[in-house]
Amino acid sequence: MSVKCPKCQIENPDTQKFCGDCGTQLKSVHTETMTFRTPVKDSTIGEIISEKYKLLEELGSGGMGVVYKAEQIKPVKRSVALKIIKLGMDTRQVVARFETERQALAVMDHPNIAKVFDGGATETGRPYFVMELIRGVPITEYCDKHKLTTRERLELFIQVCQAVQHAHQKGIIHRDLKPSNTLVLVQEDEPIPKIIDFGIAKATEHSLTEKTLFTEQGLLIGTPEYMSPEQAEMTGLDVDTRTDIYSLGVMLYELLVGVLPFDSKSLREAGYSEIQRIIREEEPPKASTRLSKLGDTQTSIAKHRQTDPSSLQRLLKGDLDWITLKAMAKDRTHRYASASELVSDIERHLKNEPVSASPPSTAYRMKKYIRRHKTGVVTASLVVLAMLIGIAGTTLGLLKARRAERVARNEAQTARQISDFLVDLFEVSDPSEARGNTITAREILDTGAEKIDRELEDEPLVRGRLMNTIGEVYTSLGLYNDALPLLEKGLAVREQALNPNDTAVAESLENLGNLFWRKGDYEKAQSLHERALTIREEAYGPEHVTVASSLNNLANLQHEAGNYEDAKLLYERALEIWEKTSGPEDTDVAIALNGLGYLLFNMGKYDEARPLYERSLAIYEKVLGAEHPDLTSPLLNLGLLLRVTGEHEKARSYFERCIAIEEKALGPEHPHLAITLSNLAILHAITANFEEARPLFERVLAIDEKALGPEHPKVGSDVNNLGILNAQMGNFDAARPLFERGMAIKEKALGPEHPSVANDLNNLASLLRDMGDSEAARPLIKRALAIREKALGPEHPDVAISLKDLGNVLVEIENYAEAQPLFERALTIQEKAVGPDHDSVASVLNSYAKLLCETRMYEEARSKYERALAINEKALGVDHPEVAVSLMGLGELLSDTEEYAQAQLLLERALQIREDKLGPDHPYVADTLEAYAKVLRELGMKTKAQELDARAKEIRKK
């Protein structure tokens, strides 16, 4: 006898309590009434399943059912994951099929496979499975959250494939591999992937059939995105291990590109037959092609892989395109025969060996060979290469050997010619040749540059190399106009003598790019560095030390241009390559750490920057010793960071150690020493130790004028610093000609539209404003703003500084309506560039709040002052001079609103900070004394107020 289900009308045995098709409770065959029973309810927390498992919490739900965390009560106590299958399964068939799988599942023992312990049916007739509890996240989510590089994703994916291979060897096919069944947990700081649900898919016959694709309401509950064409076929064709290979291919595609081969939304909105057709017939696009068509999404995807879109696209082209397409072949006979074959191809790609998935191409295999043997192809290598290409006979091998010999002979000849040229060049400094005259390094360079064209016209390789070298030296000395023609000619000579994609051409491109960077032409610099990067990646592969150098150069450019997030990704990628290729304690790694640290410093992330500087310093100390000149870079940066955060004594100790090293190693008149002396002088200036600062600034100027010449841009900066010192001391008449001279030097050396000229324009404008001539300051700041917008882009943090300074000038001349949008734009730029908690944001807020006070918008002004105060206290420390700026502004606001008691407390604290940090005679102390005295008079403390006013007058007389 049978009973018809009241819901789906399927006939069931009369002994069955629940419908085998939909799970609905069946009416009793013995009842005389014809009422229907209520449908089965979901399980509840606290429920005990089969007297062994207590449900503790719901972990998640999906198309197959609900997963709970449960406590196994007997025979052992442990935490497990318990999956209760959805309504619609035939309980007895499911459990029976699971029993046939149980023996095979029991012998699986792999660290990347979650164990399945048990299975059965609940009291309401729903199948359940008990598994190892894995507290992890889907592999795609983990990789994106932790911004794993492509290499790191491949290494993680290899573990997944090895687990699948283990299962296949035990006779178990998963049938439902996808990211949500591949979880990653972290053990001892290492990511461990774990595949769950092995054996469950077969037990439930979870395949792409009409029943499992759609519920009665037409909602998709399967996962067709990862299912193989044979699963979609529904012809009764049995699936084998290659079904799992297809799913692995889709997962790999998603890990690499960030999206599925077919758009998930479009696929799921299609009808059932259309889904089948797409899976069976439509070829997925190559991974690199899919990425190129994602528009703006590319940038986000690349950032999650610590790279940029163009680099990611280059990385995917070739091997990874072929590997994913082979794994996802429609015809399963064209797929990898096993998961281990897929692993082998991925490993070959990582080692720069030819992959089996590649089309048969001689050029491809040759390129792979050369990438593996970066030091060049010698005679024996050429013979082996000839064998690999499949060329019979020894004639070609001999020809190639002779060609290699010729190359080596030419290289040796080039080296001898360069050596002879340099010996001849430096003979000019010999006393017998110089006839008693002192010959400077600059004169030797000039002589060499002139001789290259005259004497080496028929030796292009020698010409190109020497032009590049001397041009690089000119650049390092700041002689940009002398460097430019040499570097451009050197590049042209190498391109013609070699070929446009030779690595020597990349070297010339790099040096010319660095020159344009220093000249402030960032667009040209970027184009050159990107071309150098492409050449090096093609020649050496994506993880060569020279590739890291190009990435570091591009990072410097993005940093200078204010694209901090892009710069961060590039610095991190360069660091990763150098760590892998050179080891974690190489000086190249120290360089990258310094660059990344300086970027974080500019982003206001001082706590993150400091350990990078310290690690860089430790590397230099270990590799080079405690007194090597290269130590000065991290020492100087640490001093700068401590100066900004208000740790002035610590900063001073770093600067002084740096100076001691440089004086000993480089002598008392070296330009590198001048940089450190300048930073120590600035520290003295901001702490109002003017008498200590002045001789240091003057010494710096003397060193640079002698070493670099009076028209070098560094000399312009030195003169500008002396101007700032005089302005801080109130010597406005002495400061103005210094600002004007410094700016004139830079305009001549760098051009009138260099960002460094804009800095000097801003400084001169601030001086004029302090002198009471805001009208004269206004056109200078407008010019500075125009230079910065053109050179750096409209959203650079330096643009925000000019906007703020122009706003301040407009406030001074009471043009409030024009000033307000400038402050708003400056605030938006800074918050976007460096985040909402950077002290530069606080600086804009303080200026904006002053405008609001002038227009009597006190509540809004108070809010901005309070936010600025909170930012500065957190970023710089509670006793930093910038904190006093916010306290002062807030105190004056409260005075204006007649809240004198609160104003008194704030101004008293501002006065204490300024006296302690700037000294008792600083002009800012006088400003605070006057504001404080005004409040005290309102509170009736006239005698004390008079004392403060008198003290302020004494300060202003000095």
Side-chain angles (χ1 to χ4, degrees), residues 760-770 777-778 780-781 809:
D760 294 354
L761 285 164
N762 257 40
N763 288 332
L764 181 56
S766 296
L767 174 70
L768 294 173
R769 196 177 118 215
D770 288 341
R778 186 176 179 180
L780 297 177
I781 297 182
V809 167

Side-chain angles (χ1 to χ4, degrees), residues 785 788-790 792-797 799-800 803 825 829:
L785 175 60
R788 284 173 164 167
E789 285 183 319
K790 181 179 178 181
L792 306 174
E795 295 188 352
H796 193 281
V799 170
L803 288 167
R825 185 181 159 203
I829 292 170

